[in-house]
Amino acid sequence: FPSHDTMENFLRYMNSLSYFLNYAELLAKIPTPAIVWSEEQTLNNIKLYQSALNHQETEIRYAVKACTLKSILETVKKQGCSVDCQSVMEAQLSLKAGIDIQKIILNSPRLKEEEILWAMQNNIKIICDSKSHLHIVNKLVSKLNFPSDWRYGIRVSLPIEGTKRFHNKLGMDKD
């Protein structure tokens, strides 16, 4: 895990961030609605996380649902980050942006059988967070003779105080 000094530097930096944009001037030049982002700032933020979390087991994942713009996905790719997709569409956009298939994870409580099948057929990792997803995966693995080394993840909901309200979003019971 990162040292205490590294985390302090990281937090100090994050607290010092400010964006000096003249929004009135910007809106006069750009038609709205518009998304304004800085590739340089995005790269710097990712590098900062990578530096602060300098641990071999750490994987930084961009939540594609935050913004699906190809240019942002390409920036995330430049830094070797993985992506967390909530839908097949987000996974397809990630592929079009050139993100390595091994860096794409499909993770949604709303996945249907055909979406899980698509992910399996395209060798995209999935995270099962319900018993129904496990049943679908087991059925498809058996039915379609998927290789025994095909892997997927399981999200487990631990009985942590304060999370009971969000239980369905946090995975399956550990039992």
Side-chain angles (χ1 to χ4, degrees), residues 81-99:
C81 295
S82 296
V83 292
D84 192 70
C85 302
Q86 293 287 306
S87 68
V88 168
M89 182 201 73
E90 289 179 4
Q92 290 169 333
L93 289 170
S94 298
L95 287 169
K96 286 181 183 175
I99 295 175

Side-chain angles (χ1 to χ4, degrees), residues 1 28 33 42 46 84 88 98-100 117 130 135 142 144:
F1 286 86
T42 302
I46 293 170
D84 192 70
V88 168
I99 295 175
D100 185 300
L117 176 61
S130 69
H135 291 299
S142 299
L144 303 171

Side-chain angles (χ1 to χ4, degrees), residues 56-120:
Q56 282 188 329
E57 298 299 317
T58 301
E59 177 183 22
I60 297 174
R61 286 193 214 153
Y62 173 73
V64 177
K65 69 181 179 180
C67 188
T68 59
L69 289 177
K70 186 177 180 185
S71 55
I72 292 177
L73 295 174
E74 289 170 341
T75 299
V76 167
K77 175 190 172 229
K78 283 181 193 175
Q79 287 306 118
C81 295
S82 296
V83 292
D84 192 70
C85 302
Q86 293 287 306
S87 68
V88 168
M89 182 201 73
E90 289 179 4
Q92 290 169 333
L93 289 170
S94 298
L95 287 169
K96 286 181 183 175
I99 295 175
D100 185 300
I101 206 156
Q102 297 299 316
K103 300 261 187 186
I104 299 173
I105 297 178
L106 190 58
N107 177 16
S108 173
R110 297 174 305 279
L111 292 175
K112 297 181 178 97
E113 183 172 336
E114 58 271 12
E115 294 169 314
I116 293 172
L117 176 61
W118 178 88
M120 292 171 71

Side-chain angles (χ1 to χ4, degrees), residues 113-160:
E113 183 172 336
E114 58 271 12
E115 294 169 314
I116 293 172
L117 176 61
W118 178 88
M120 292 171 71
Q121 290 172 331
N122 287 281
N123 203 25
I124 291 176
K125 293 180 218 168
I126 62 169
I127 304 290
C128 295
D129 59 2
S130 69
K131 290 176 185 172
S132 63
H133 280 167
L134 282 177
H135 291 299
I136 292 169
V137 167
N138 286 329
K139 179 177 99 174
L140 293 172
V141 166
S142 299
K143 182 179 169 184
L144 303 171
N145 295 318
F146 267 83
S148 59
D149 64 347
W150 185 80
R151 294 185 179 193
Y152 57 93
I154 298 173
R155 182 181 297 187
V156 177
S157 179
L158 300 174
I160 299 171

Side-chain angles (χ1 to χ4, degrees), residues 13 37-47 75 78:
Y13 172 78
W37 72 285
S38 165
E39 179 180 23
E40 180 182 353
Q41 187 63 55
T42 302
L43 287 170
N44 288 340
N45 289 351
I46 293 170
K47 287 176 186 175
T75 299
K78 283 181 193 175

